[in-house]
Amino acid sequence: MLPRKIADSTVRRLAIYLRFLEEFEDQGRDTVSSEALAHRAGTTSAQVRKDLSFFGSFGKRGLGYDVHALGIRLREILGLGRRYRVLIVGAGRLAGALVQYAGFSARGFEVVAVVDRDPDKIGTAWGEIVIEGVAQLEEIVVREQVEIAILVTPADPAQGLVDRLVQAGVTAVLNFAPVQLHVPEGVDVKNVNLAVELETLSYALAHRVHA
Amino acid sequence: MLPRKIADSTVRRLAIYLRFLEEFEDQGRDTVSSEALAHRAGTTSAQVRKDLSFFGSFGKRGLGYDVHALGIRLREILGLGRRYRVLIVGAGRLAGALVQYAGFSARGFEVVAVVDRDPDKIGTAWGEIVIEGVAQLEEIVVREQVEIAILVTPADPAQGLVDRLVQAGVTAVLNFAPVQLHVPEGVDVKNVNLAVELETLSYALAHRVHA
DNA sequence: TCCTGTGAATTAGTTCACAGCG
DNA sequence: CGCTGTGAACTAATTCACAGGA
């Protein structure tokens, strides 16, 4: 589990393979070929084998991969063998959707706190979680041993918030704010920008060969 | 606006440059260098110039780019010069967040209908929009002249729904369901998978050089 | 025979570096 | 001079193609 530098595209595909492996497992299949995985994941069998080969050789020639064993290995590789404590910054609707999203907790991402700057929201409850004030950010990070922050705020306050998060000890951030965050070495940021996704679609529509 | 094949990564960056151009415009700046754009967008000046060069030469040597003019060109290139009629399939919390998300309508993506299969949701209103039954899918696509569908459903029904959407005339789909959709030639699908984003973070955490 | 694992070949994407125009 | 525009060089990612083990 120590190869130097793995492409982000490879890591994303591994996460996708894992999803389908679990599906196969639920169906009681105990073996799967690179071809079958590739078809489900929308890639090629060579790509699947190459992706896996960076981490070892898990298959049996002539047979394929053991569904259960490969699942375990992928979870190990992806760091999903444990739970992660997540803080959500910003209590808008998207944050609400994330808190309730079953896909996160199923994978071990546990939302332990939500903060917002709106005094009207502070103190209200979302299920188990009571929304706290953004002033408590640092205190919460320490108290709840937060490792991952999800930033769901407007662009404006995002950089200041991430500075405070990093200062308090957070080293991984999933950023939904439409800004490029600047963080010190050793802190990982992944950006999700829903408007950009739609704009790549409108690009495709605009440049279609009109029949 | 006719170059053969432009990388997805380039299109995404163009959308990001546009965001910052608009910010600069709001600030009253009327000229910007590739270097300044690159810094905001988290890339390099050479990358910015290369991305733009695929579509023409918009800058002035020694000076940079005209903020307003480049904004217009980028909107043209991205196909943002018009409005798009969007149907949301699935009325969960994420769908609710998308309906209300200002970033979409600001860019011309107008949600014209929402469908769900839950009878308890059908007939309830989200702002202007009354949720309709999934049975009406085809009728709605025609009636509302839907061009883009956003699929926000569980994995299970997603393929069947996309088949119906395509049959009814939809040619662009933003898919949040964790499955690889199979669609005919000429239909564009972009996938967003929030769990995968978090998993790339957990990969990074797990493989960090522990100091 | 079937299907993996993997170097080699290819293709795609990024960065360099500099000529040339304002 | 300053900064763009762009071939050329380089680096990264994907695909090919086949040797070899089950």
Side-chain angles (χ1 to χ4, degrees), chain B residues 79-146:
Chain B
L80 297 174
R82 55 193 283 288
R83 297 191 76 75
Y84 291 92
R85 300 175 66 78
V86 175
L87 164 66
I88 297 188
V89 181
R93 289 199 197 218
L94 183 52
L98 298 178
V99 166
Q100 163 264 19
Y101 177 40
F104 284 173
S105 60
R107 281 270 186 274
F109 300 102
E110 188 179 356
V111 176
V112 294
V114 176
V115 301
D116 200 280
R117 65 172 171 193
D118 179 352
D120 290 348
K121 285 181 178 159
I122 297 168
T124 64
W126 277 3
E128 312 271 271
I129 292 170
V130 175
I131 298 172
E132 299 178 69
V134 75
Q136 272 69 61
L137 199 66
E138 291 80 357
E139 181 197 321
I140 294 167
V141 168
V142 174
R143 180 187 82 213
E144 300 288 352
Q145 300 169 63
V146 170

Side-chain angles (χ1 to χ4, degrees), chain A residues 3 12 14-15 27 31 33 43 48 55 61-62 68 75 104 113 122 124 126 148 161 167 174 176 181 199-200:
Chain A
R12 302 173 73 91
L14 293 177
Q27 292 165 10
T31 200
S33 67
T43 182
V48 171
F55 298 91
R61 297 170 194 231
H68 183 70
R75 269 183 288 266
F104 284 173
I122 297 167
T124 64
W126 279 2
I148 298 177
L161 289 165
Q167 186 60 36
L174 185 60
F176 285 80
L181 299 175
E199 287 163 36
T200 65

Side-chain angles (χ1 to χ4, degrees), chain A residues 1-7 54-55, chain B residues 203 207-209:
Chain A
M1 203 158 19
L2 10 117
R4 273 275 22 97
K5 186 55 185 142
I6 296 295
F54 295 129
F55 298 91
Chain B
Y203 175 86
H207 293 258
R208 200 111 82 184
V209 205

Side-chain angles (χ1 to χ4, degrees), chain A residues 122-211:
Chain A
I122 297 167
T124 64
W126 279 2
E128 312 271 88
I129 292 170
V130 175
I131 297 172
E132 299 178 70
V134 73
Q136 271 70 60
L137 200 66
E138 290 80 359
E139 179 197 323
I140 294 167
V141 168
V142 175
R143 180 188 83 212
E144 299 289 351
Q145 299 167 64
V146 170
E147 285 183 279
I148 298 177
I150 303 184
L151 210 53
V152 206
T153 67
D156 223 48
Q159 181 64 53
L161 289 165
V162 88
D163 291 345
R164 289 174 59 192
L165 289 165
V166 168
Q167 186 60 36
V170 171
T171 57
V173 177
L174 185 60
N175 173 42
F176 285 80
V179 276
Q180 182 63 29
L181 299 175
H182 295 273
V183 294
E185 188 82 1
V187 176
D188 285 283
V189 176
K190 297 285 168 192
N191 296 293
V192 178
N193 190 323
L194 300 177
V196 167
E197 304 301 328
L198 266 185
E199 287 163 36
T200 65
L201 272 183
S202 80
Y203 175 86
L205 282 168
H207 293 259
R208 201 113 82 184
V209 205
H210 304 88

Side-chain angles (χ1 to χ4, degrees), chain B:
Chain B
M1 203 157 19
L2 8 118
R4 272 279 18 99
K5 188 55 185 140
I6 296 296
D8 191 64
S9 52
T10 292
V11 176
R12 301 171 75 91
R13 282 191 300 266
L14 293 177
I16 291 169
Y17 303 154
L18 176 56
R19 188 147 287 106
F20 296 118
L21 273 180
E22 290 173 344
E23 210 176 277
F24 285 134
E25 202 167 3
D26 289 346
Q27 292 166 8
R29 296 195 49 172
D30 43 36
T31 202
V32 69
S33 68
S34 58
E35 181 53 43
L37 265 183
H39 179 253
R40 286 313 202 81
T43 181
T44 66
S45 61
Q47 182 77 78
V48 171
R49 295 197 302 275
K50 180 65 91 179
D51 287 338
L52 295 176
S53 77
F54 295 130
F55 297 92
S57 40
F58 311 127
K60 295 209 191 332
R61 296 171 196 232
L63 231 178
Y65 301 87
D66 180 288
V67 168
H68 183 70
L70 184 57
I72 289 174
R73 286 296 285 122
L74 284 184
R75 270 183 287 266
E76 256 172 57
I77 290 166
L78 291 169
L80 297 174
R82 55 193 283 288
R83 297 191 76 75
Y84 291 92
R85 300 175 66 78
V86 175
L87 164 66
I88 297 188
V89 181
R93 289 199 197 218
L94 183 52
L98 298 178
V99 166
Q100 163 264 19
Y101 177 40
F104 284 173
S105 60
R107 281 270 186 274
F109 300 102
E110 188 179 356
V111 176
V112 294
V114 176
V115 301
D116 200 280
R117 65 172 171 193
D118 179 352
D120 290 348
K121 285 181 178 159
I122 297 168
T124 64
W126 277 3
E128 312 271 271
I129 292 170
V130 175
I131 298 172
E132 299 178 69
V134 75
Q136 272 69 61
L137 199 66
E138 291 80 357
E139 181 197 321
I140 294 167
V141 168
V142 174
R143 180 187 82 213
E144 300 288 352
Q145 300 169 63
V146 170
E147 286 183 278
I148 299 177
I150 304 185
L151 211 53
V152 206
T153 67
D156 224 47
Q159 182 64 56
L161 289 166
V162 88
D163 291 344
R164 290 174 58 193
L165 288 165
V166 168
Q167 186 61 37
V170 170
T171 57
V173 178
L174 185 60
N175 174 42
F176 286 81
V179 276
Q180 182 63 29
L181 299 175
H182 294 274
V183 293
E185 187 82 1
V187 176
D188 285 283
V189 176
K190 298 286 165 191
N191 297 294
V192 178
N193 191 321
L194 300 177
V196 167
E197 304 303 328
L198 266 184
E199 286 163 38
T200 64
L201 274 182
S202 81
Y203 175 86
L205 283 167
H207 293 258
R208 200 111 82 184
V209 205
H210 305 86

